[in-house]
Amino acid sequence: MEKGGQPPPYMWSNVQSMQPPPAAPPSYSQAVGGVGPSSPYTPQYSPTSGPAIVTTVVPVGSQPTHMICPSCHAEINTVTKKKPGLIAYISSAIIALFCCICGCCLIPCCIESCMDVHHKCPNCGTYLGRYRR
């Protein structure tokens, strides 16, 4: 194509050779014939005959808690173990920064109110939770 020349003729400029565009494909309902979707899935087996076991979350505290273990389904009193928590470590760091006396920074790790309480099942040993102070 040269500058200033006429552009090439377009396909639709020639009316004699013009063809209509192809038809769009049919919609889903037209292709299926107006039949709705099949029924939802229904299981082929019967439900279990035993009672359903419902597990609830039991809040744990600073003392052993009476509950049903979600792992072994036994009725238990939890076994507790106290370990230093975040409060004990933060308190120890503050004491170490300000007092600088050897050994004084370990005092919060011995105070019971600074300890977290961890609960376990006595039957299967499953970890059941932690009570943070």
Side-chain angles (χ1 to χ4, degrees):
M1 185 166 117
E2 296 179 18
K3 276 188 168 181
Q6 292 294 332
Y10 293 106
M11 199 157 97
W12 57 82
S13 64
N14 188 357
V15 178
Q16 288 85 15
S17 66
M18 188 172 167
Q19 296 178 0
S27 67
Y28 179 76
S29 61
Q30 291 172 342
V32 175
V35 177
S38 62
S39 65
Y41 173 74
T42 54
Q44 300 296 329
Y45 60 88
S46 63
T48 59
S49 59
I53 297 174
V54 179
T55 304
T56 58
V57 176
V58 177
V60 291
S62 60
Q63 301 298 321
T65 305
H66 185 78
M67 63 188 303
I68 294 176
C69 176
S71 180
C72 65
H73 304 293
E75 189 172 343
I76 57 159
N77 284 326
T78 60
V79 173
T80 59
K81 186 174 186 179
K82 296 181 181 179
K83 295 182 181 177
L86 185 63
I87 292 175
Y89 294 125
I90 291 173
S91 303
S92 296
I94 292 172
I95 291 171
L97 285 174
F98 292 115
C99 295
C100 296
I101 300 173
C102 293
C104 290
C105 62
L106 299 176
I107 292 174
C109 293
C110 300
I111 298 173
E112 216 170 293
S113 61
C114 293
M115 302 272 194
D116 287 351
V117 181
H118 298 266
H119 293 261
K120 282 189 169 184
C121 174
N123 288 347
C124 62
T126 302
Y127 182 76
L128 299 172
R130 173 175 59 182
Y131 176 71
R132 293 183 180 174
R133 302 216 184 205

